[in-house]
Amino acid sequence: MECAPSPDLPTSSPPPKALPTTTAAAPTPWWRRPLLVCAEGAVAVLTAMVFAVWARNIRVNPLNRIGQVSGLATLQLRMTLISLLVIAALVIAYRRFGPDLQALFVRLSCAVVAGLATGFVAGGTTIGLRGTPWPINGVGGDMGTLANWAGAINRGESIPSGVYPPLFPELLALWAKVFRHGNTSYSLQDLQIVIMAMIGPAAYLAWRVWFQPLWALAIGVTSSIPLYEPIKPYTTIVLVVFVPIIAKFIQVLRRSPQMTKRDRLLTGVAFGVILGVLVIAYSGWFVWSAAGVLVICLLVLPWRGGFKPAMVFLAATIVPFLIISGLYLKDLLLKGGGEKDSYFYFDTKIDPAYYLMWRGDTPGEVGMWPPPGELGGVGVFMLILLVALAVAVALGMRRSLVLALVACFASSWLMRFWFASHMFQDQAVQLYPRTSYELAYVSLLLVGVAVHLSAQRLRALWNRFVVHRADPAADAEPRHVGARWRTTPGMATTIGALSAMVLLFGTAASSVANNLMPVNDSSIGSLTYRSHQLQKTSGECPRYAKDHKCDRLGTPPWRAPVHGTPGANNG
């Protein structure tokens, strides 16, 4: 209905434009968001696991190069076909259904792609280990020590405390007891594949607490690519989850005075449980990030007007955290940070300021390393990361996410050089090259955050200058699709972004899987090769052992006396 003409206006003037009436939207049920998140998680996990298990029917000789290439091509073909089905479903959803179902299809499509990203790597690992029950590296290095400790746990014996996080040995012991008749070495192969497959879904779901589906996929899963390590994936999956969770913790700490007492307590307990489980899974990331996170927490703590509520939130976090990890942390501190790591290898002899690519303990023939850069030895990729850092800080210096990322980077950077500077004096490495994982991960996250903040700024400028000048009354009207920038991605945007990410994830996963294919040289593929040259517990050689001959097993690790320390040696 139009409004009557105003008496203050000439009768010849047109009546003022009436604002369109809108009806209040029905309140969203409280259970809708948790249900959707659970659906995303289930789809991502199911996709990753099915894709990895599906690789078992790729019947090739993993020690033959042609067989390896055929296996990788089969995985790539399957990933492409699944992705085409996902895109077809999206097209149907955008053309046939309303906004709610469109949003649901976008969520589930992103979850599928996240599962494919690391399901591919796990599938490649499955192909590389085809014909042998042993994990990558057999019973050598850390694989032998972990199998030994898990066997001791199943025998009721104690293992060294405070030198290694206890969760994975306990999980390995349980898995062996339930699925492998106590054979902890064979169980390691299972967990290498399963946990590797879970990295993509874990990254996607962890970053969903910060971003919408497409952004969580583009930023979270893309940034986790350098962390694809099928040998010990339980270490890097902790880092994938740790960074977004600690950033969210900092954000909630800042907002805790505005929360109800009940929400403060429940949220604090949730953070305490999650962080406690993460630290007993792998504590290295906590050690390297602790200083920076502590400084940021002190800076953002609401000292005036909200100190008491913030303390309640911190107490609710610390209590369950210490209940879960207190004994391990006490032993770790009493032992001065764990066992001395004196394993010197390739990465301990290169420029300590280079962190963009970690070649692992057995890099093979790499030539000049690090590769020479164009600007004082610094390459273009590093320059892009530095520009992204500057943009992220300039546009989001007060945002909790940016503060957390900068804190983790700065703390890891300082700890890296602290340990490296004492390496000659103490004759100890203390795993400092592994900070490369965190530095590369956080650097890529800063690139993604810089792009996200720039997109937000461009949207604001578009709405302010372009739309407002075209129609000054637009700001007073309800948001409409058309001239105003869309708040939800359209079909073209979604399909374009997913297509690009499928290609990126597929090529990256193929490269990682290819590097781990068994080969008899000094590269990381030699660790997979060893798995095919070790006698099985039945006394037989693995199916593809060279010349049908293999190394004698000796005493299986799970039956030997407790020995060694994971992380202080190869593999």
Side-chain angles (χ1 to χ4, degrees):
M1 180 182 294
E2 295 186 354
C3 298
S6 171
D8 296 330
L9 297 174
T11 55
S12 58
S13 301
K17 186 177 181 180
L19 297 177
T21 58
T22 57
T23 56
T28 303
W30 65 268
W31 45 264
R32 187 172 185 272
R33 179 174 173 78
L35 182 62
L36 290 174
V37 172
C38 290
E40 287 180 76
V43 168
V45 170
L46 186 63
T47 301
M49 289 308 306
V50 168
F51 198 86
V53 173
W54 193 14
R56 291 184 176 181
N57 75 346
I58 300 177
R59 294 176 175 83
V60 295
N61 181 347
L63 270 68
N64 182 285
R65 183 56 188 166
I66 301 302
Q68 296 171 4
V69 172
S70 294
L72 293 173
T74 303
L75 292 176
Q76 197 72 247
L77 176 63
R78 291 176 177 180
M79 183 174 181
T80 302
L81 292 176
I82 294 173
S83 301
L84 289 175
L85 291 176
V86 168
I87 290 173
L90 279 172
V91 172
I92 294 172
Y94 272 103
R95 291 186 178 275
R96 298 292 184 183
F97 303 127
D100 289 343
L101 280 177
Q102 290 174 11
L104 176 61
F105 271 75
V106 171
R107 283 173 175 261
L108 299 183
S109 298
C110 290
V112 169
V113 174
L116 291 174
T118 48
F120 190 125
V121 183
T125 305
T126 301
I127 293 174
L129 294 173
R130 175 177 169 80
T132 178
W134 299 107
I136 298 174
N137 204 21
V139 296
D142 290 355
M143 298 302 100
T145 303
L146 289 168
N148 173 255
W149 284 11
I153 292 172
N154 281 339
R155 294 195 303 269
E157 301 175 9
S158 61
I159 61 175
S161 61
V163 298
Y164 202 75
L167 182 59
F168 185 75
E170 294 283 352
L171 174 63
L172 179 60
L174 178 62
W175 187 283
K177 183 183 295 185
V178 174
F179 298 108
R180 288 287 194 171
H181 307 289
N183 189 325
T184 54
S185 287
Y186 288 4
S187 299
L188 268 170
Q189 184 190 111
D190 300 338
L191 291 180
Q192 282 178 337
I193 294 171
V194 169
I195 299 176
M196 182 63 242
M198 291 299 101
I199 290 181
Y204 174 72
L205 292 174
W207 284 103
R208 283 289 281 116
V209 304
W210 282 102
F211 300 114
Q212 293 298 316
L214 276 175
W215 282 107
L217 188 68
I219 296 176
V221 180
T222 300
S223 300
S224 68
I225 288 175
L227 310 185
Y228 293 174
E229 188 198 17
I231 302 175
K232 291 190 291 187
Y234 64 91
T235 62
T236 52
I237 197 173
V238 172
L239 176 59
V240 163
V241 176
F242 166 73
V243 174
I245 294 300
I246 202 66
K248 180 60 69 171
F249 172 80
I250 292 171
Q251 183 190 61
V252 175
L253 175 63
R254 300 175 75 178
R255 298 178 178 179
S256 57
Q258 287 77 47
M259 301 169 65
T260 64
K261 185 176 181 179
R262 177 177 177 272
D263 287 344
R264 277 195 295 271
L265 292 174
L266 292 178
T267 307
V269 169
F271 275 115
V273 170
I274 294 172
L275 293 173
V277 171
L278 291 177
V279 78
I280 63 173
Y282 191 75
S283 57
W285 320 120
F286 288 80
V287 173
W288 295 319
S289 305
V293 171
L294 178 61
V295 169
I296 292 298
C297 286
L298 292 175
L299 289 176
V300 304
L301 193 67
W303 295 95
R304 297 181 180 180
F307 182 74
K308 184 177 179 180
M311 289 296 102
V312 171
F313 169 73
L314 286 175
T317 302
I318 291 172
V319 170
F321 176 78
L322 291 179
I323 290 175
I324 294 172
S325 62
L327 290 176
Y328 164 67
L329 292 177
K330 177 179 71 70
D331 292 337
L332 181 66
L333 294 174
L334 289 176
K335 292 180 180 293
E339 192 82 358
K340 180 179 178 179
D341 171 25
S342 57
Y343 177 60
F344 294 87
Y345 63 101
F346 168 77
D347 257 339
T348 62
K349 301 173 185 178
I350 68 170
D351 177 9
Y354 182 80
Y355 67 87
L356 295 181
M357 186 185 299
W358 191 52
R359 299 300 299 262
D361 298 352
T362 53
E365 298 296 330
V366 296
M368 182 182 293
W369 195 260
E374 296 82 5
L375 181 62
V378 177
V380 175
F381 182 46
M382 184 65 183
L383 294 176
I384 293 173
L385 298 180
L386 295 176
V387 171
L389 170 64
V391 172
V393 172
L395 298 181
M397 186 172 63
R398 296 181 180 273
R399 295 174 180 259
S400 300
L401 178 55
V402 174
L403 291 174
L405 294 178
V406 171
C408 289
F409 184 94
S411 184
S412 298
W413 185 257
L414 291 174
M415 294 296 290
R416 177 185 182 89
F417 292 112
W418 169 264
F419 286 124
S421 65
H422 286 72
M423 185 167 53
F424 179 79
Q425 175 184 339
D426 300 339
Q427 289 297 294
V429 177
Q430 299 308 102
L431 300 176
Y432 91 80
R434 292 180 181 267
T435 57
S436 297
Y437 276 140
E438 184 166 0
L439 293 172
Y441 181 46
V442 174
S443 295
L444 288 173
L445 288 172
L446 285 168
V447 174
V449 171
V451 173
H452 184 261
L453 293 176
S454 299
Q456 287 185 329
R457 183 64 60 90
L458 288 174
R459 177 166 55 185
L461 292 174
W462 175 272
N463 289 337
R464 180 179 178 182
F465 293 105
V466 178
V467 177
H468 183 74
R469 288 182 180 181
D471 184 5
D475 287 339
E477 298 180 5
R479 187 177 297 273
H480 62 281
V481 176
R484 188 173 291 273
W485 195 301
R486 295 179 64 103
T487 57
T488 55
M491 180 175 70
T493 302
T494 303
I495 292 175
L498 280 179
S499 299
M501 284 185 279
V502 165
L503 287 173
L504 172 63
F505 299 155
T507 52
S510 185
S511 175
V512 174
N514 178 66
N515 288 338
L516 279 163
M517 287 296 170
V519 58
N520 187 18
D521 61 10
S522 59
S523 70
I524 197 168
S526 64
L527 302 182
T528 313
Y529 182 83
R530 294 177 195 172
S531 306
H532 291 273
Q533 309 305 319
L534 182 63
Q535 184 185 47
K536 297 191 289 187
T537 55
S538 63
E540 301 173 341
C541 289
R543 180 176 178 182
Y544 299 105
K546 185 178 180 181
D547 299 326
H548 303 288
K549 298 178 181 179
C550 54
D551 300 330
R552 185 173 176 275
L553 174 60
T555 303
W558 58 94
R559 295 175 183 165
V562 176
H563 64 271
T565 302
N569 50 16
N570 193 352

